Amino acid sequence: GSFVPAASARMGIVDRVFTRVGASDNLHMGKSTFMVEMSETANIISNAARRSLILLDEIGRGTSTYDGMSIAWSVSEYIHNRIGARTLFATHFHEMTKLADNLPGVSNYRVDVKETNREIVFLHRIVAGGTDRSYGIYVAKLAGMPNEILIRAKDILDEFENGKDDSASSKKKKKDSGAFQLTFFDLLANPLTEELRDIDPDRLTPREALDKLYEWKRKFD
């Protein structure tokens, strides 16, 4: 019965509609915003079926970037491989557009924008394809954020995008490592990660665990 902003739409029959939208906590029950998000997502995963329609908005934003992206990525794979339900998944994790390269049932769409003279115009139009950027700072400008904050935010964003981080902790990490830092996707493809997946720590004796650690040090040092 909802309004559809289209000349026509063919959706087929759905048995249930599941939504995970918005951000709210339930502190009097001991649940943070992220816990509520995870509880709602777990309920969807447990009850959705192939004929269901799932609407997901920004899973994984309430924790660290890699932590949240890992959860969002895994949830997407599970819905595609195990449930098979039609799903709309809105996310700002640009890396997740790579799912369309590996999963036949995944397609990327983005909100179209027009950039003119350093200004952004949201066209309120959905087009095929992924994107590699967001417009959060511009939205902050539209919301009335002070210009000093916007300018500083843009400078910080440029540093992050150019791989610069002058913090003391970052310098120490780079100095200690003596090599580049593994990205999230480098880590997934790393042979050490593959070996770790195959190991059952409950079946290793302390001596075997120590021997394995020395073996890895010789192999990957």
Side-chain angles (χ1 to χ4, degrees):
S2 298
F3 170 71
V4 178
S8 64
R10 182 174 180 176
M11 296 181 61
I13 297 174
V14 298
D15 55 7
R16 299 176 70 180
V17 178
F18 294 90
T19 63
R20 211 314 311 158
V21 179
S24 61
D25 57 44
N26 191 1
L27 294 180
H28 73 284
M29 293 294 291
K31 293 184 177 181
S32 65
T33 303
F34 184 62
M35 175 60 80
V36 171
E37 177 186 310
M38 291 295 97
S39 297
E40 292 177 354
T41 304
N43 176 66
I44 292 172
I45 294 300
S46 299
N47 293 286
R50 188 171 187 82
R51 283 285 189 178
S52 301
L53 176 63
I54 302 175
L55 309 176
L56 301 174
D57 181 32
E58 296 290 9
I59 287 180
R61 300 295 287 185
T63 184
S64 69
T65 301
Y66 286 165
D67 209 24
M69 184 163 55
S70 299
I71 294 171
W73 188 293
S74 184
V75 166
S76 300
E77 288 184 336
Y78 187 92
I79 293 174
H80 180 278
N81 297 332
R82 297 289 188 89
I83 301 175
R86 284 167 289 177
T87 304
L88 295 177
F89 192 156
T91 181
H92 278 84
F93 293 134
H94 304 140
E95 294 84 353
M96 288 186 61
T97 59
K98 299 183 190 308
L99 280 167
D101 298 332
N102 303 316
L103 301 179
V106 175
S107 298
N108 292 317
Y109 290 86
R110 68 180 188 275
V111 177
D112 203 13
V113 300
K114 183 178 181 180
E115 300 185 39
T116 58
N117 298 324
R118 299 180 65 83
E119 292 294 314
I120 305 297
V121 178
F122 295 100
L123 301 179
H124 302 282
R125 183 171 62 200
I126 304 297
V127 296
T131 183
D132 60 356
R133 63 173 301 187
S134 297
Y135 299 94
I137 293 178
Y138 186 75
V139 173
K141 177 182 178 181
L142 294 177
M145 195 72 73
N147 197 47
E148 180 181 348
I149 292 178
L150 298 174
I151 293 174
R152 178 57 180 150
K154 183 62 169 63
D155 290 341
I156 295 171
L157 177 62
D158 289 341
E159 290 182 5
F160 280 131
E161 289 183 337
N162 293 327
K164 292 175 58 180
D165 184 352
D166 295 328
S167 65
S169 61
S170 177
K171 288 180 178 178
K172 185 177 187 302
K173 287 178 182 177
K174 291 176 182 177
K175 181 179 179 181
D176 290 344
S177 69
F180 74 43
Q181 304 296 305
L182 287 176
T183 68
F184 174 69
F185 296 103
D186 290 328
L187 186 59
L188 288 180
N190 193 285
L192 177 57
T193 306
E194 294 298 325
E195 286 199 47
L196 283 170
R197 287 198 186 103
D198 296 334
I199 287 180
D200 183 355
D202 293 330
R203 294 180 177 274
L204 288 179
T205 67
R207 180 63 191 181
E208 288 172 336
L210 185 61
D211 289 341
K212 178 59 70 174
L213 184 60
Y214 278 114
E215 177 187 333
W216 286 338
K217 182 172 176 56
R218 289 192 301 270
K219 185 183 299 183
F220 298 107
D221 198 355

